[in-house]
């Protein structure tokens, strides 16, 4: 029986490895991109909404703010988070804050999950599920439809009443409402869905002009 030489054996191993990866990618088993969309809640009054308990350490603060429509100020205050922590930093970096002496208490992804769940009203703020949230969180009411901060469901007409005009938004984000087919009855979510504007950037701008 003829033996395979070293180079032939190496080539066979390389080809097998390449075919395995290629096949896995084609069948979606090999993933090279992280997923930044939490799974949806499957039942109850929050059905088809993002599940805050599926928030992961790879998410950035900005992604959480946009996904769950939480103003930056509420998020940082609720978690007693230092303002120096950048919004584009991943949540897994929260744990280093205590070690570096920047935060007085331990913060982790589970704290973010509990805060978001309480904020959107999925759990009661005074329930056992949110006992580990830092003290300032208890002063913030769950996110409701009557909340006065800009959010995805806020009608453009309400934004205009706050003094942020159509012209200001068009100039800031380089869009044309007429071309996008938007009217005052449309929402901020309609605006972001029909353009390349990020919800986080939109809400930050509106909030800055309201203050």
């Amino acid at each position: 029986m003829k033996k395979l030489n070293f180079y032939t054996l190496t080539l066979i191993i390389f080809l097998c490895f390449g075919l395995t990866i290629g096949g896995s990618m084609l069948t979606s088993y090999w993933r090279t991109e992280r997923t930044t969309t939490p799974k949806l809640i499957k039942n109850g009054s929050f059905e088809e909404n993002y599940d805050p308990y599926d928030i992961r350490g790879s998410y950035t603060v900005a992604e959480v703010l946009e996904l769950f429509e939480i103003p930056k100020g509420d998020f940082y205050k609720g978690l007693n988070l230092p303002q120096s922590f950048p919004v584009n930093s991943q949540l897994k970096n929260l744990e280093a804050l205590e070690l570096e002496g920047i935060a007085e208490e331990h913060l982790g992804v589970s704290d973010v999950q509990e805060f978001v769940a309480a904020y959107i009203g999925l759990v009661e703020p005074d329930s056992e599920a949110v006992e580990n949230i830092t003290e300032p969180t208890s002063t913030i009411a769950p996110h409701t439809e009557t909340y006065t901060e800009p959010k995805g469901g806020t009608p453009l007409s309400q934004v205009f009443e706050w003094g942020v005009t159509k012209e200001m938004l068009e100039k800031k984000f380089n869009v044309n409402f007429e071309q996008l087919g938007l009217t005052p009855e449309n929402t901020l979510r309609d605006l972001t869905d029909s353009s390349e504007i990020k919800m986080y950037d939109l809400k930050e701008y509106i909030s800055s002009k309201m203050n």
Side-chain angles (χ1 to χ4, degrees), residues 61-62 76 82-90:
V61 171
Y76 276 65
Q83 292 296 320
S84 59
F85 191 75
V87 294
N88 61 349
S89 184
Q90 293 181 318

Side-chain angles (χ1 to χ4, degrees), residues 10-36:
T10 301
L11 179 60
I12 292 174
I13 294 174
F14 178 79
L15 289 175
C16 289
F17 182 72
L19 290 172
T20 300
I21 294 177
S24 298
M25 292 178 69
L26 289 174
T27 56
S28 300
Y29 286 111
W30 187 277
R31 298 185 183 276
T32 58
E33 296 182 359
R34 68 186 182 94
T35 301
T36 55

Side-chain angles (χ1 to χ4, degrees), residues 77-120:
K77 180 180 179 181
L79 288 167
N80 200 21
L81 188 61
Q83 292 296 320
S84 59
F85 191 75
V87 294
N88 61 349
S89 184
Q90 293 181 318
L91 297 179
K92 62 185 179 182
N93 295 326
L94 287 171
E95 296 185 358
L97 295 179
E98 183 184 19
L99 297 176
E100 297 172 0
I102 299 175
E104 297 180 359
E105 300 182 37
H106 174 81
L107 288 174
V109 177
S110 61
D111 297 298
V112 175
Q113 293 173 341
E114 299 289 1
F115 169 73
V116 174
Y119 190 86
I120 66 175

